[in-house]
Amino acid sequence: MNVSTATTGSAPGTRTHARWLLVLYATALVLTLTAGVPGRARAEGGMSADRLTALFERYGDTSGRWNGADRTASVRLPDGRLLWLFSDTFLGPVGPDGSRPRTASFINNSAVVQQGDELRETVHGGTAEDPASLVPPPAADQFHWIGDAQVVGETLQVLANRYRRTGDGPLDHVLLGTALATFALPGLTPTGVRPLPLGERVSWGSTLLRDGGHTLIYGTEASGETKFAHVARVAGTDLNGPWEFWTGTGWAPAADRSARVLSGVGTSYGVQRVDDRYVLVTHENNLVFSADVVAYSAAGPTGPFDGPEYLHRAPETEAGHLVYDADLHPDLARPGKLLVSYNVNNVDDAVTYADAGLYRPRFVEVDWPRPRPDRADVPPAPATLTAEARGAGNAELRWRPVPTDDELRYLVHRRNVTAGQTHFVRIGEPTAELRSSADFLVNGDQYEFRVTAVGRRGEGPPSPVARMTATVPPPPPPGGVRAAAGDSGDVAVHWEPMPFVQLFRLYRRDVTAGEREPALVGTFTGTSATVSSLWHARTYEFTVVAVGGGGDSQPSAPVRATASIRPPAAPDRLTVRAEPDGSLRLGWASLGPGVSYRVHRRDVTAGQTRLGPPALEARPSHLARHLEHGHEYEFSVSAVDRDREGPPSPPVRARARFTAPRVVPTGLRVTRVGTGEVELAWRSDDPGGWHRVYRRDVTAGEREFTEEEVPVQGTAATIRRLRNGHEYEFTVAAANQAGAGERSRPVRAVPRLPTPAGLTATALGNGEARLTWRPAGPGLAYRVQVRDVTAGGAWRTDPVPVGGTGFTAVLLTRGHRYEFRVAATDGVDTGTPSAPVAVLVG
C-alpha cells in the first residue's frame, strides 16, 4: 500500500485506458461497480455540497497524485477521518491547460483520506513511482471495483466486485463474484481479500446500512437493459458472518433465491433511514442516459418502494456528458438534507483527457422529506390517454385537456413491462400540447404510459394507463463516417447523428495484418469515438452500425486510416539501489499502461564495453540478479509503445555487494540414512537460496567441521562418501557470494552397510558347501565367514571378497557341522554379518 500526502506542484503521471464506455447505457453491457454508505452518526454540522465539489476540484488540480475517479463511497474511521473510496482512478498531476495527460497512471481502485474539511492523502497499492490498485487483482486478467465499506472494531471491511477481462475492448468484462477486502486501522494496512460464496448474478455492495440488529447489504443485478436492486443481510456487523437473502416473502441462506425489489437502480446507489422510512437514492436507470437523480422510499428495507421522487437534474448532460452512480453520504449531510454524489464522464476518452475536471464527483443536497402540495391545489388527472405505435420506433400519445383555469403543462411517464420495470419514469420535457411522442422504444416490448398535469402548485395524479407494443424497424446505416489518425496510436472516428438512435457500434479491421472480418471496438453514444492502442504504420478500416430498438443497421461505408505512434520518450528519474542480497533494484518514472521497457546492463568491472541483451519489464522497475560480488554495473532503460522503441535513458551505475545472510536455518533433521550417505532437510527464511553444509567424523575424533565442496540450493541435501559405521555430525548455514551466515544446530547420524538376507547353505559332497544370498545393494561386495562347529573352531573370514551373491566353500572336513554368515563390504568397511546358517558336510 502507498499513502501519498497531497502537495501542490507537479509530478509526472502515466497513461491510461478509458473506462467511459462502461457507463454507456443501462444494459447487460454496463458492468461498473459502485456502492453507497451505511447509516452512521452524522458529523456535527455536516458539509455543503458546493464545498465538497470544490474540495475535490482543488485536490484533483493541485495534489499531484489523484486527479479523478468514479464510484465515490465514504466511510467514517474511528479516529474521525473520513475515507473516500473510488473505483477506476487517474493518478498524477494535471497539465497547465487543465488537461489530463495521456501518461496519467490508471488503477482500478484507490482511496483518499479526509481530515477535518480537507483532503490530505491518496492511498493505493504499489509505490508512488509504480502505483497499483488498493485491492489487488487476483489474476493478471482480473480486477476489482469498489463497493461500500464499514468499520468493525479496528478493521475496515470493503466489499469489492471481481471482474475478468474477456477481450481488449472496454466493455469486455464479466462479473466473477464479490470479495471482502480488509484493512487494519488506523494505518489502512491490507490484511487480506477473501472471495465470498455469493455467485455471479448480483454485484453486492452497492450500499451498506446498519439497521437494528442487522447489517443490510444492497446489490445490483444487470439483466438486459434494466438493473434491479437486491437485498441481503448479516446478523450484527461483521460481513464475515452468514448472509441471508430477501426472497420476496422472507429471508433465506441461498444466494440464488435473492429476489428483485426495484428496477432502475445504478450499480451504485445509497440507502438511508430517515425517521420511519427507508430512502433509496439512485441515478435514474429505467431510461437510457437519464440526467435525473431520483429517490424511492419504503416503510421497510426491502420495499415495496414508492416513487420516484425527482431530486436533481444533472446539468452536465446538456454538454453531452454522462452522469451515473449516485450515492448518499450521511456522515457529512447537514440536518434535514440528503447529501448526494454522482459521477460524470464522456463516451469519448479524448474529452475526458482534455478536461481533468470532468471525471470527478459532483455533490448536491436536497431537502428531505420532500415538500408535498395539498391534493386540492394540484390539477386533476388527464383523461382518455391513447398510445399508438409508429413504424419509426416511437409511440404517438394523445389525451384530453384537464378542465382548469391554471396554466398547465403535461408530463409523460413510461414503464417497459416486458423489461420488468417496477415503476413509471418521466420521459421528455413538460409540454403544453395535448400530444407527445415516446421515442427509442424496443421492438416487440410492451409499454405502459401515463400523463400528469403540472400546475403552479405542483403535479397532479396520473391519468389512466395506456398500453401498446412497440414496432421498431432497424435504422439505416450511419452516414458521413470519417477517420483521422493521431500520433499516439489512436484514430478518431466521426459520423453523422441519426434520429431515434442513441447507440452506435464501432468496428475495426487491421488491413495490414490481413484480417478479413471486422472486430467490435465498443458501443458509443454521440457521433464520435477514439480508438486507441493501434499499431504503428498499420492501416485500419472502420465501419459504424447504428443500434435501434428494432435491432442493428447495416454497416456504414468503410473508411480507412493509417495509425502513427511517436516513439516514447526516454524514461527519466532512473535510479538504482544495491540490495543486501547482491541484487540491484532499478526504478524510473512510468510512461503509462501499455508501455513496456527494455533494461540493458553491462559489467563494467569485467570490462564489458557494450550493453547486453535487454531484460523486458511491463512495469517501471527491474531487479537485476545473479551479479558478481564487488562488480560495478551500468544500466540504461528504453520505453516501447507497442512496436515503437524510444531512445535510451541516461545510464546509471552501481556496485553489487553481498552481505552474508543473517537468517539461520532451523529444524535441521536427518531424513534418510543410507550406505555411505545421509539425506538432510531443514527450514529457511530463504527456501530457494543457497546453503552450505558442514560435517565432522565423530568416530574418527575430528573436532572441526569440514565444509562440503558444492553449495546446495534449497533446503535439502544428500551427503555422500561417508565411512559406514562412523558417527557424523552435520550443520548447515545460509550462504551467498559474501560468505556463509550463522550455522544451525547440529544433528548426528551413522551411515551403515546393509546386512545381507536370504543366506542358504547346501552340502555338495566331496567336502564342499554352496552358499547363496540376496543382493544387499548396488556396488557392494561380500565377505564370507565360516566356523567348524564340530571342532569348536572360531569364526574366520575368507581372505577374498566375493563380487556376486554365491560362494562355494571347499576343503571342508566330512562329517563336520559348519556355520556360515555373510557381511557386505564397500572395500573399506565391513558391515554387520547376516544370521548364521548351518550345514553338515558330506
Side-chain angles (χ1 to χ4, degrees), residues 126-498:
T127 65
E129 295 76 20
D130 186 16
S133 296
L134 180 62
V135 181
D141 62 342
Q142 298 179 18
F143 57 92
H144 287 107
W145 281 330
I146 292 294
D148 202 6
Q150 65 172 9
V151 174
V152 179
E154 296 299 318
T155 298
L156 174 70
Q157 295 184 336
V158 182
L159 287 172
N161 282 324
R162 179 167 54 99
Y163 293 86
R164 175 173 55 84
R165 295 182 178 88
T166 58
D168 296 332
L171 288 178
D172 294 333
H173 307 92
V174 61
L175 177 67
L176 298 180
T178 303
L180 181 63
T182 53
F183 300 82
L185 297 173
L188 293 172
T189 305
T191 55
V193 181
R194 184 174 74 87
L196 298 175
L198 304 176
E200 304 172 2
R201 181 167 64 112
V202 177
S203 56
W204 291 102
S206 299
T207 195
L208 295 172
L209 177 66
R210 290 182 180 174
D211 186 48
H214 290 87
T215 298
L216 300 169
I217 309 107
Y218 290 81
T220 301
E221 174 196 359
S223 177
E225 294 186 359
T226 308
K227 289 185 177 181
F228 298 92
H230 287 249
V231 189
R233 71 179 186 180
V234 294
T237 60
D238 190 353
L239 297 178
N240 284 295
W243 287 38
E244 295 180 310
F245 304 86
W246 179 250
T247 66
T249 57
W251 299 94
D256 58 2
R257 295 188 60 191
S258 180
R260 299 168 175 176
V261 298
L262 180 70
S263 72
V265 297
T267 310
S268 166
Y269 53 91
V271 181
Q272 181 176 335
R273 186 169 182 176
V274 181
D275 298 328
D276 61 347
R277 300 287 290 178
Y278 294 81
V279 183
L280 187 153
V281 173
T282 181
H283 169 248
E284 176 56 77
N285 269 285
N286 282 311
L287 285 179
V288 178
F289 309 127
S290 173
D292 292 320
V293 175
V294 298
Y296 296 86
S297 64
T302 61
F305 287 92
D306 299 327
E309 300 258 10
Y310 287 81
L311 306 181
H312 176 71
R313 170 153 285 196
E316 292 84 2
T317 60
E318 296 177 4
H321 306 313
L322 296 176
V323 297
Y324 58 104
D325 285 352
D327 211 341
L328 284 170
H329 305 278
D331 284 326
L332 292 175
R334 298 193 291 182
K337 296 182 181 294
L338 298 177
L339 180 62
V340 184
S341 68
Y342 62 91
N343 297 126
V344 183
N345 211 330
N346 195 284
V347 294
D348 191 342
D349 69 344
V351 178
T352 306
Y353 279 105
D355 181 6
L358 178 65
Y359 193 58
R360 293 171 185 167
R362 270 61 163 180
F363 294 84
V364 295
E365 52 189 345
V366 296
D367 294 332
W368 192 271
R370 305 293 286 167
R372 297 182 181 276
D374 192 301
R375 188 174 183 86
D377 293 333
V378 297
T384 63
L385 173 65
T386 61
E388 182 181 354
R390 297 296 188 181
N394 57 349
E396 184 72 21
L397 306 174
R398 296 177 182 270
W399 59 91
R400 291 182 182 177
V402 172
T404 179
D405 58 359
D406 201 352
E407 295 180 4
L408 296 182
R409 290 183 175 271
Y410 298 92
L411 280 170
V412 177
H413 306 257
R414 185 187 83 187
R415 184 170 78 94
N416 187 330
V417 179
T418 303
Q421 292 179 355
T422 57
H423 290 73
F424 284 85
V425 60
R426 289 178 186 173
I427 59 172
E429 299 295 328
T431 178
E433 302 291 329
L434 299 177
R435 58 185 295 174
S436 182
S437 178
D439 303 326
F440 306 111
L441 305 182
V442 176
N443 187 49
D445 280 13
Q446 185 183 60
Y447 291 85
E448 292 182 343
F449 296 92
R450 301 189 311 198
V451 178
T452 56
V454 182
R456 287 188 297 268
R457 297 186 180 180
E459 182 179 2
S463 70
V465 171
R467 297 177 177 84
M468 54 82 67
T469 300
T471 302
V472 187
V481 181
R482 57 196 185 277
D487 58 4
S488 300
D490 58 304
V491 171
V493 183
H494 300 266
W495 55 91
E496 295 175 353
M498 299 178 64

